[in-house]
PDB file of all heavy atoms in Angstrom:
ATOM      1  N   PRO R  28      94.442 160.207  34.010  1.00  0.00           N
ATOM      2  CA  PRO R  28      93.553 160.812  35.058  1.00  0.00           C
ATOM      3  C   PRO R  28      92.406 159.837  35.353  1.00  0.00           C
ATOM      4  O   PRO R  28      91.834 159.860  36.370  1.00  0.00           O
ATOM      5  CB  PRO R  28      93.140 162.142  34.636  1.00  0.00           C
ATOM      6  CG  PRO R  28      93.223 162.141  33.166  1.00  0.00           C
ATOM      7  CD  PRO R  28      94.463 161.258  32.897  1.00  0.00           C
ATOM      8  N   SER R  29      92.101 158.974  34.339  1.00  0.00           N
ATOM      9  CA  SER R  29      90.947 158.077  34.634  1.00  0.00           C
ATOM     10  C   SER R  29      91.222 157.139  35.793  1.00  0.00           C
ATOM     11  O   SER R  29      90.194 156.617  36.435  1.00  0.00           O
ATOM     12  CB  SER R  29      90.570 157.323  33.297  1.00  0.00           C
ATOM     13  OG  SER R  29      91.778 156.531  32.998  1.00  0.00           O
ATOM     14  N   PHE R  30      92.494 156.840  36.032  1.00  0.00           N
ATOM     15  CA  PHE R  30      92.834 155.942  37.112  1.00  0.00           C
ATOM     16  C   PHE R  30      92.475 156.551  38.511  1.00  0.00           C
ATOM     17  O   PHE R  30      92.398 155.812  39.480  1.00  0.00           O
ATOM     18  CB  PHE R  30      94.334 155.562  37.150  1.00  0.00           C
ATOM     19  CG  PHE R  30      94.620 154.475  36.116  1.00  0.00           C
ATOM     20  CD1 PHE R  30      95.349 154.697  34.928  1.00  0.00           C
ATOM     21  CD2 PHE R  30      94.288 153.149  36.334  1.00  0.00           C
ATOM     22  CE1 PHE R  30      95.583 153.751  34.108  1.00  0.00           C
ATOM     23  CE2 PHE R  30      94.596 152.113  35.448  1.00  0.00           C
ATOM     24  CZ  PHE R  30      95.234 152.420  34.297  1.00  0.00           C
ATOM     25  N   LEU R  31      92.335 157.808  38.530  1.00  0.00           N
ATOM     26  CA  LEU R  31      91.974 158.518  39.837  1.00  0.00           C
ATOM     27  C   LEU R  31      90.709 158.059  40.369  1.00  0.00           C
ATOM     28  O   LEU R  31      90.458 158.136  41.608  1.00  0.00           O
ATOM     29  CB  LEU R  31      92.006 160.009  39.655  1.00  0.00           C
ATOM     30  CG  LEU R  31      93.453 160.623  39.334  1.00  0.00           C
ATOM     31  CD1 LEU R  31      93.358 162.064  39.091  1.00  0.00           C
ATOM     32  CD2 LEU R  31      94.431 160.242  40.404  1.00  0.00           C
ATOM     33  N   PHE R  32      89.820 157.517  39.543  1.00  0.00           N
ATOM     34  CA  PHE R  32      88.485 156.962  40.062  1.00  0.00           C
ATOM     35  C   PHE R  32      88.714 155.814  40.977  1.00  0.00           C
ATOM     36  O   PHE R  32      87.810 155.546  41.793  1.00  0.00           O
ATOM     37  CB  PHE R  32      87.618 156.559  38.812  1.00  0.00           C
ATOM     38  CG  PHE R  32      87.069 157.696  38.047  1.00  0.00           C
ATOM     39  CD1 PHE R  32      87.597 157.974  36.763  1.00  0.00           C
ATOM     40  CD2 PHE R  32      86.049 158.517  38.573  1.00  0.00           C
ATOM     41  CE1 PHE R  32      87.133 159.010  36.031  1.00  0.00           C
ATOM     42  CE2 PHE R  32      85.649 159.550  37.827  1.00  0.00           C
ATOM     43  CZ  PHE R  32      86.133 159.777  36.539  1.00  0.00           C
ATOM     44  N   ALA R  33      89.881 155.072  40.804  1.00  0.00           N
ATOM     45  CA  ALA R  33      90.167 154.013  41.741  1.00  0.00           C
ATOM     46  C   ALA R  33      90.436 154.541  43.245  1.00  0.00           C
ATOM     47  O   ALA R  33      90.533 153.722  44.110  1.00  0.00           O
ATOM     48  CB  ALA R  33      91.353 153.260  41.308  1.00  0.00           C
ATOM     49  N   LEU R  34      90.568 155.816  43.408  1.00  0.00           N
ATOM     50  CA  LEU R  34      90.727 156.417  44.773  1.00  0.00           C
ATOM     51  C   LEU R  34      89.404 156.104  45.602  1.00  0.00           C
ATOM     52  O   LEU R  34      89.530 156.166  46.916  1.00  0.00           O
ATOM     53  CB  LEU R  34      90.958 157.837  44.760  1.00  0.00           C
ATOM     54  CG  LEU R  34      92.363 158.295  44.300  1.00  0.00           C
ATOM     55  CD1 LEU R  34      92.384 159.854  44.195  1.00  0.00           C
ATOM     56  CD2 LEU R  34      93.520 157.759  45.155  1.00  0.00           C
ATOM     57  N   SER R  35      88.372 155.696  44.998  1.00  0.00           N
ATOM     58  CA  SER R  35      87.186 155.383  45.649  1.00  0.00           C
ATOM     59  C   SER R  35      87.386 154.116  46.551  1.00  0.00           C
ATOM     60  O   SER R  35      86.654 153.787  47.541  1.00  0.00           O
ATOM     61  CB  SER R  35      85.999 155.189  44.765  1.00  0.00           C
ATOM     62  OG  SER R  35      86.233 154.172  43.902  1.00  0.00           O
ATOM     63  N   THR R  36      88.356 153.303  46.196  1.00  0.00           N
ATOM     64  CA  THR R  36      88.743 152.122  46.960  1.00  0.00           C
ATOM     65  C   THR R  36      89.242 152.342  48.417  1.00  0.00           C
ATOM     66  O   THR R  36      89.346 151.466  49.236  1.00  0.00           O
ATOM     67  CB  THR R  36      89.617 151.201  46.317  1.00  0.00           C
ATOM     68  OG1 THR R  36      90.853 151.990  45.976  1.00  0.00           O
ATOM     69  CG2 THR R  36      89.182 150.795  44.929  1.00  0.00           C
ATOM     70  N   LEU R  37      89.661 153.682  48.580  1.00  0.00           N
ATOM     71  CA  LEU R  37      90.048 154.095  49.947  1.00  0.00           C
ATOM     72  C   LEU R  37      88.987 153.846  50.985  1.00  0.00           C
ATOM     73  O   LEU R  37      89.281 153.859  52.148  1.00  0.00           O
ATOM     74  CB  LEU R  37      90.505 155.519  49.975  1.00  0.00           C
ATOM     75  CG  LEU R  37      91.716 155.835  49.108  1.00  0.00           C
ATOM     76  CD1 LEU R  37      92.040 157.260  49.108  1.00  0.00           C
ATOM     77  CD2 LEU R  37      92.907 155.000  49.549  1.00  0.00           C
ATOM     78  N   GLY R  38      87.781 153.711  50.575  1.00  0.00           N
ATOM     79  CA  GLY R  38      86.600 153.516  51.473  1.00  0.00           C
ATOM     80  C   GLY R  38      86.671 152.112  52.089  1.00  0.00           C
ATOM     81  O   GLY R  38      86.145 151.879  53.101  1.00  0.00           O
ATOM     82  N   ILE R  39      87.389 151.152  51.402  1.00  0.00           N
ATOM     83  CA  ILE R  39      87.325 149.814  51.903  1.00  0.00           C
ATOM     84  C   ILE R  39      88.188 149.607  53.117  1.00  0.00           C
ATOM     85  O   ILE R  39      87.602 149.044  54.173  1.00  0.00           O
ATOM     86  CB  ILE R  39      88.038 148.854  50.768  1.00  0.00           C
ATOM     87  CG1 ILE R  39      87.223 148.843  49.535  1.00  0.00           C
ATOM     88  CG2 ILE R  39      88.255 147.462  51.337  1.00  0.00           C
ATOM     89  CD1 ILE R  39      87.751 148.155  48.408  1.00  0.00           C
ATOM     90  N   PRO R  40      89.329 150.227  53.350  1.00  0.00           N
ATOM     91  CA  PRO R  40      89.992 150.186  54.705  1.00  0.00           C
ATOM     92  C   PRO R  40      89.139 150.824  55.881  1.00  0.00           C
ATOM     93  O   PRO R  40      89.050 150.375  57.014  1.00  0.00           O
ATOM     94  CB  PRO R  40      91.302 150.786  54.560  1.00  0.00           C
ATOM     95  CG  PRO R  40      91.513 150.663  53.114  1.00  0.00           C
ATOM     96  CD  PRO R  40      90.213 150.789  52.425  1.00  0.00           C
ATOM     97  N   VAL R  41      88.434 151.889  55.471  1.00  0.00           N
ATOM     98  CA  VAL R  41      87.608 152.666  56.408  1.00  0.00           C
ATOM     99  C   VAL R  41      86.520 151.680  56.896  1.00  0.00           C
ATOM    100  O   VAL R  41      86.213 151.679  58.120  1.00  0.00           O
ATOM    101  CB  VAL R  41      87.057 153.870  55.885  1.00  0.00           C
ATOM    102  CG1 VAL R  41      86.185 154.712  56.848  1.00  0.00           C
ATOM    103  CG2 VAL R  41      88.274 154.883  55.543  1.00  0.00           C
ATOM    104  N   ILE R  42      85.812 150.981  56.000  1.00  0.00           N
ATOM    105  CA  ILE R  42      84.749 150.049  56.293  1.00  0.00           C
ATOM    106  C   ILE R  42      85.271 149.079  57.134  1.00  0.00           C
ATOM    107  O   ILE R  42      84.586 148.687  58.172  1.00  0.00           O
ATOM    108  CB  ILE R  42      84.040 149.589  55.033  1.00  0.00           C
ATOM    109  CG1 ILE R  42      83.354 150.722  54.240  1.00  0.00           C
ATOM    110  CG2 ILE R  42      83.124 148.509  55.290  1.00  0.00           C
ATOM    111  CD1 ILE R  42      82.859 150.384  52.954  1.00  0.00           C
ATOM    112  N   ILE R  43      86.486 148.466  56.862  1.00  0.00           N
ATOM    113  CA  ILE R  43      86.993 147.413  57.713  1.00  0.00           C
ATOM    114  C   ILE R  43      87.339 147.885  59.045  1.00  0.00           C
ATOM    115  O   ILE R  43      86.965 147.145  60.004  1.00  0.00           O
ATOM    116  CB  ILE R  43      88.249 146.789  56.965  1.00  0.00           C
ATOM    117  CG1 ILE R  43      88.032 146.144  55.615  1.00  0.00           C
ATOM    118  CG2 ILE R  43      88.999 145.859  57.922  1.00  0.00           C
ATOM    119  CD1 ILE R  43      89.205 145.804  54.844  1.00  0.00           C
ATOM    120  N   HIS R  44      87.803 149.134  59.151  1.00  0.00           N
ATOM    121  CA  HIS R  44      88.091 149.800  60.430  1.00  0.00           C
ATOM    122  C   HIS R  44      86.841 149.931  61.305  1.00  0.00           C
ATOM    123  O   HIS R  44      86.860 149.630  62.586  1.00  0.00           O
ATOM    124  CB  HIS R  44      88.853 151.061  60.245  1.00  0.00           C
ATOM    125  CG  HIS R  44      89.037 151.784  61.499  1.00  0.00           C
ATOM    126  ND1 HIS R  44      90.164 151.395  62.304  1.00  0.00           N
ATOM    127  CD2 HIS R  44      88.548 152.847  62.115  1.00  0.00           C
ATOM    128  CE1 HIS R  44      90.153 152.194  63.382  1.00  0.00           C
ATOM    129  NE2 HIS R  44      89.171 153.051  63.339  1.00  0.00           N
ATOM    130  N   LEU R  45      85.739 150.280  60.748  1.00  0.00           N
ATOM    131  CA  LEU R  45      84.513 150.596  61.437  1.00  0.00           C
ATOM    132  C   LEU R  45      83.790 149.312  61.839  1.00  0.00           C
ATOM    133  O   LEU R  45      83.156 149.298  62.884  1.00  0.00           O
ATOM    134  CB  LEU R  45      83.695 151.424  60.549  1.00  0.00           C
ATOM    135  CG  LEU R  45      84.192 152.896  60.353  1.00  0.00           C
ATOM    136  CD1 LEU R  45      83.238 153.672  59.487  1.00  0.00           C
ATOM    137  CD2 LEU R  45      84.400 153.651  61.638  1.00  0.00           C
ATOM    138  N   PHE R  46      83.815 148.330  61.042  1.00  0.00           N
ATOM    139  CA  PHE R  46      82.910 147.136  61.293  1.00  0.00           C
ATOM    140  C   PHE R  46      83.675 145.822  61.662  1.00  0.00           C
ATOM    141  O   PHE R  46      83.137 144.792  61.778  1.00  0.00           O
ATOM    142  CB  PHE R  46      82.056 146.875  60.058  1.00  0.00           C
ATOM    143  CG  PHE R  46      81.186 147.981  59.709  1.00  0.00           C
ATOM    144  CD1 PHE R  46      81.456 148.934  58.776  1.00  0.00           C
ATOM    145  CD2 PHE R  46      79.991 148.195  60.448  1.00  0.00           C
ATOM    146  CE1 PHE R  46      80.623 149.914  58.456  1.00  0.00           C
ATOM    147  CE2 PHE R  46      79.042 149.191  60.176  1.00  0.00           C
ATOM    148  CZ  PHE R  46      79.411 150.130  59.234  1.00  0.00           C
ATOM    149  N   ASN R  47      85.083 145.952  61.884  1.00  0.00           N
ATOM    150  CA  ASN R  47      85.785 144.828  62.170  1.00  0.00           C
ATOM    151  C   ASN R  47      86.526 144.896  63.513  1.00  0.00           C
ATOM    152  O   ASN R  47      87.666 144.428  63.572  1.00  0.00           O
ATOM    153  CB  ASN R  47      86.686 144.428  60.986  1.00  0.00           C
ATOM    154  CG  ASN R  47      87.252 142.981  61.082  1.00  0.00           C
ATOM    155  OD1 ASN R  47      86.426 142.117  61.527  1.00  0.00           O
ATOM    156  ND2 ASN R  47      88.475 142.802  60.620  1.00  0.00           N
ATOM    157  N   PHE R  48      85.951 145.647  64.464  1.00  0.00           N
ATOM    158  CA  PHE R  48      86.561 145.736  65.695  1.00  0.00           C
ATOM    159  C   PHE R  48      86.675 144.370  66.432  1.00  0.00           C
ATOM    160  O   PHE R  48      85.748 143.560  66.236  1.00  0.00           O
ATOM    161  CB  PHE R  48      85.904 146.713  66.698  1.00  0.00           C
ATOM    162  CG  PHE R  48      86.145 148.153  66.300  1.00  0.00           C
ATOM    163  CD1 PHE R  48      85.265 149.059  65.922  1.00  0.00           C
ATOM    164  CD2 PHE R  48      87.426 148.660  66.227  1.00  0.00           C
ATOM    165  CE1 PHE R  48      85.422 150.375  65.693  1.00  0.00           C
ATOM    166  CE2 PHE R  48      87.718 150.029  65.860  1.00  0.00           C
ATOM    167  CZ  PHE R  48      86.638 150.799  65.572  1.00  0.00           C
ATOM    168  N   ARG R  49      87.662 144.227  67.201  1.00  0.00           N
ATOM    169  CA  ARG R  49      87.753 142.905  67.897  1.00  0.00           C
ATOM    170  C   ARG R  49      86.709 142.940  69.064  1.00  0.00           C
ATOM    171  O   ARG R  49      86.760 143.757  69.870  1.00  0.00           O
ATOM    172  CB  ARG R  49      89.150 142.720  68.519  1.00  0.00           C
ATOM    173  CG  ARG R  49      89.271 141.364  69.320  1.00  0.00           C
ATOM    174  CD  ARG R  49      90.677 141.292  69.899  1.00  0.00           C
ATOM    175  NE  ARG R  49      91.631 141.152  68.774  1.00  0.00           N
ATOM    176  CZ  ARG R  49      93.021 141.145  69.163  1.00  0.00           C
ATOM    177  NH1 ARG R  49      93.457 141.193  70.332  1.00  0.00           N
ATOM    178  NH2 ARG R  49      93.888 141.042  68.093  1.00  0.00           N
ATOM    179  N   ARG R  50      85.933 141.896  69.037  1.00  0.00           N
ATOM    180  CA  ARG R  50      84.950 141.805  70.143  1.00  0.00           C
ATOM    181  C   ARG R  50      85.293 140.742  71.149  1.00  0.00           C
ATOM    182  O   ARG R  50      85.740 139.571  70.734  1.00  0.00           O
ATOM    183  CB  ARG R  50      83.462 141.284  69.488  1.00  0.00           C
ATOM    184  CG  ARG R  50      82.898 142.352  68.521  1.00  0.00           C
ATOM    185  CD  ARG R  50      81.530 141.882  67.931  1.00  0.00           C
ATOM    186  NE  ARG R  50      80.827 142.941  67.247  1.00  0.00           N
ATOM    187  CZ  ARG R  50      81.134 143.186  65.976  1.00  0.00           C
ATOM    188  NH1 ARG R  50      82.035 142.394  65.347  1.00  0.00           N
ATOM    189  NH2 ARG R  50      80.467 144.203  65.409  1.00  0.00           N
ATOM    190  N   PHE R  51      85.348 141.149  72.311  1.00  0.00           N
ATOM    191  CA  PHE R  51      85.765 140.342  73.432  1.00  0.00           C
ATOM    192  C   PHE R  51      84.630 139.460  73.895  1.00  0.00           C
ATOM    193  O   PHE R  51      83.542 139.915  74.129  1.00  0.00           O
ATOM    194  CB  PHE R  51      86.360 141.114  74.593  1.00  0.00           C
ATOM    195  CG  PHE R  51      87.620 141.926  74.226  1.00  0.00           C
ATOM    196  CD1 PHE R  51      87.553 143.214  73.835  1.00  0.00           C
ATOM    197  CD2 PHE R  51      88.852 141.250  74.218  1.00  0.00           C
ATOM    198  CE1 PHE R  51      88.636 143.985  73.375  1.00  0.00           C
ATOM    199  CE2 PHE R  51      89.976 141.966  73.862  1.00  0.00           C
ATOM    200  CZ  PHE R  51      89.829 143.305  73.526  1.00  0.00           C
ATOM    201  N   LYS R  52      84.875 138.157  74.041  1.00  0.00           N
ATOM    202  CA  LYS R  52      83.947 137.261  74.637  1.00  0.00           C
ATOM    203  C   LYS R  52      84.055 136.953  76.152  1.00  0.00           C
ATOM    204  O   LYS R  52      85.239 136.696  76.573  1.00  0.00           O
ATOM    205  CB  LYS R  52      84.061 135.864  73.947  1.00  0.00           C
ATOM    206  CG  LYS R  52      82.890 134.933  74.229  1.00  0.00           C
ATOM    207  CD  LYS R  52      83.109 133.616  73.348  1.00  0.00           C
ATOM    208  CE  LYS R  52      82.053 132.650  73.632  1.00  0.00           C
ATOM    209  NZ  LYS R  52      82.144 131.524  72.835  1.00  0.00           N
ATOM    210  N   LYS R  53      83.110 137.086  76.803  1.00  0.00           N
ATOM    211  CA  LYS R  53      83.024 136.991  78.287  1.00  0.00           C
ATOM    212  C   LYS R  53      82.912 135.516  78.699  1.00  0.00           C
ATOM    213  O   LYS R  53      82.096 134.797  78.292  1.00  0.00           O
ATOM    214  CB  LYS R  53      81.925 137.752  78.970  1.00  0.00           C
ATOM    215  CG  LYS R  53      81.915 137.780  80.443  1.00  0.00           C
ATOM    216  CD  LYS R  53      80.831 138.673  80.987  1.00  0.00           C
ATOM    217  CE  LYS R  53      80.892 138.702  82.459  1.00  0.00           C
ATOM    218  NZ  LYS R  53      79.761 139.507  82.991  1.00  0.00           N
ATOM    219  N   ILE R  54      83.925 135.035  79.513  1.00  0.00           N
ATOM    220  CA  ILE R  54      84.012 133.582  79.920  1.00  0.00           C
ATOM    221  C   ILE R  54      84.025 133.575  81.411  1.00  0.00           C
ATOM    222  O   ILE R  54      84.882 134.280  82.032  1.00  0.00           O
ATOM    223  CB  ILE R  54      85.146 132.891  79.360  1.00  0.00           C
ATOM    224  CG1 ILE R  54      85.158 132.944  77.852  1.00  0.00           C
ATOM    225  CG2 ILE R  54      85.238 131.416  79.845  1.00  0.00           C
ATOM    226  CD1 ILE R  54      86.323 132.310  77.248  1.00  0.00           C
ATOM    227  N   ASN R  55      83.242 132.846  81.937  1.00  0.00           N
ATOM    228  CA  ASN R  55      83.133 132.692  83.499  1.00  0.00           C
ATOM    229  C   ASN R  55      84.028 131.503  84.070  1.00  0.00           C
ATOM    230  O   ASN R  55      84.062 130.517  83.460  1.00  0.00           O
ATOM    231  CB  ASN R  55      81.721 132.473  83.974  1.00  0.00           C
ATOM    232  CG  ASN R  55      80.743 133.670  83.699  1.00  0.00           C
ATOM    233  OD1 ASN R  55      81.172 134.850  83.696  1.00  0.00           O
ATOM    234  ND2 ASN R  55      79.548 133.387  83.174  1.00  0.00           N
ATOM    235  N   PHE R  56      84.826 131.912  84.976  1.00  0.00           N
ATOM    236  CA  PHE R  56      85.675 130.907  85.592  1.00  0.00           C
ATOM    237  C   PHE R  56      85.382 130.641  87.135  1.00  0.00           C
ATOM    238  O   PHE R  56      84.958 131.696  87.735  1.00  0.00           O
ATOM    239  CB  PHE R  56      87.163 131.269  85.538  1.00  0.00           C
ATOM    240  CG  PHE R  56      87.701 131.359  84.146  1.00  0.00           C
ATOM    241  CD1 PHE R  56      87.676 132.348  83.317  1.00  0.00           C
ATOM    242  CD2 PHE R  56      88.336 130.131  83.778  1.00  0.00           C
ATOM    243  CE1 PHE R  56      88.211 132.332  82.001  1.00  0.00           C
ATOM    244  CE2 PHE R  56      88.921 130.121  82.408  1.00  0.00           C
ATOM    245  CZ  PHE R  56      88.847 131.118  81.611  1.00  0.00           C
ATOM    246  N   THR R  57      85.346 129.469  87.548  1.00  0.00           N
ATOM    247  CA  THR R  57      85.018 129.225  88.983  1.00  0.00           C
ATOM    248  C   THR R  57      86.252 129.617  89.882  1.00  0.00           C
ATOM    249  O   THR R  57      85.974 129.898  91.031  1.00  0.00           O
ATOM    250  CB  THR R  57      84.778 127.683  89.181  1.00  0.00           C
ATOM    251  OG1 THR R  57      85.988 126.945  88.783  1.00  0.00           O
ATOM    252  CG2 THR R  57      83.589 127.370  88.370  1.00  0.00           C
ATOM    253  N   ASN R  58      87.462 129.542  89.356  1.00  0.00           N
ATOM    254  CA  ASN R  58      88.574 129.870  90.072  1.00  0.00           C
ATOM    255  C   ASN R  58      89.590 130.665  89.213  1.00  0.00           C
ATOM    256  O   ASN R  58      89.958 130.176  88.221  1.00  0.00           O
ATOM    257  CB  ASN R  58      89.198 128.647  90.691  1.00  0.00           C
ATOM    258  CG  ASN R  58      90.188 129.015  91.882  1.00  0.00           C
ATOM    259  OD1 ASN R  58      90.767 130.076  91.903  1.00  0.00           O
ATOM    260  ND2 ASN R  58      90.475 128.032  92.737  1.00  0.00           N
ATOM    261  N   VAL R  59      89.985 131.709  89.590  1.00  0.00           N
ATOM    262  CA  VAL R  59      90.830 132.565  88.708  1.00  0.00           C
ATOM    263  C   VAL R  59      92.301 132.563  89.164  1.00  0.00           C
ATOM    264  O   VAL R  59      93.093 133.425  88.684  1.00  0.00           O
ATOM    265  CB  VAL R  59      90.407 134.066  88.707  1.00  0.00           C
ATOM    266  CG1 VAL R  59      89.080 134.104  88.018  1.00  0.00           C
ATOM    267  CG2 VAL R  59      90.375 134.684  90.130  1.00  0.00           C
ATOM    268  N   ARG R  60      92.631 131.566  90.068  1.00  0.00           N
ATOM    269  CA  ARG R  60      94.108 131.445  90.538  1.00  0.00           C
ATOM    270  C   ARG R  60      95.096 131.120  89.463  1.00  0.00           C
ATOM    271  O   ARG R  60      96.250 131.495  89.511  1.00  0.00           O
ATOM    272  CB  ARG R  60      94.142 130.525  91.698  1.00  0.00           C
ATOM    273  CG  ARG R  60      93.453 130.947  93.051  1.00  0.00           C
ATOM    274  CD  ARG R  60      93.682 129.863  94.094  1.00  0.00           C
ATOM    275  NE  ARG R  60      93.302 128.616  93.658  1.00  0.00           N
ATOM    276  CZ  ARG R  60      93.710 127.514  94.198  1.00  0.00           C
ATOM    277  NH1 ARG R  60      94.647 127.579  95.188  1.00  0.00           N
ATOM    278  NH2 ARG R  60      93.256 126.341  93.764  1.00  0.00           N
TER     279      ARG R  60
END
């Protein structure tokens, strides 16, 4: 049962999910054709 303490590592994917969203960078174009 001591291995169950490792369940605390489940917080790692949650942290990645919350703070690693894809950020879109805005780029201006003179012509979008």
Side-chain angles (χ1 to χ4, degrees):
S29 58
F30 278 107
L31 295 179
F32 288 106
L34 289 175
S35 60
T36 58
L37 294 179
I39 297 176
V41 176
I42 295 173
I43 295 174
H44 176 75
L45 293 176
F46 297 98
N47 197 33
F48 285 125
R49 179 180 298 177
R50 292 181 175 85
F51 297 96
K52 186 177 180 180
K53 186 176 180 180
I54 302 176
N55 296 320
F56 288 88
T57 58
N58 194 335
V59 295
R60 288 185 309 160

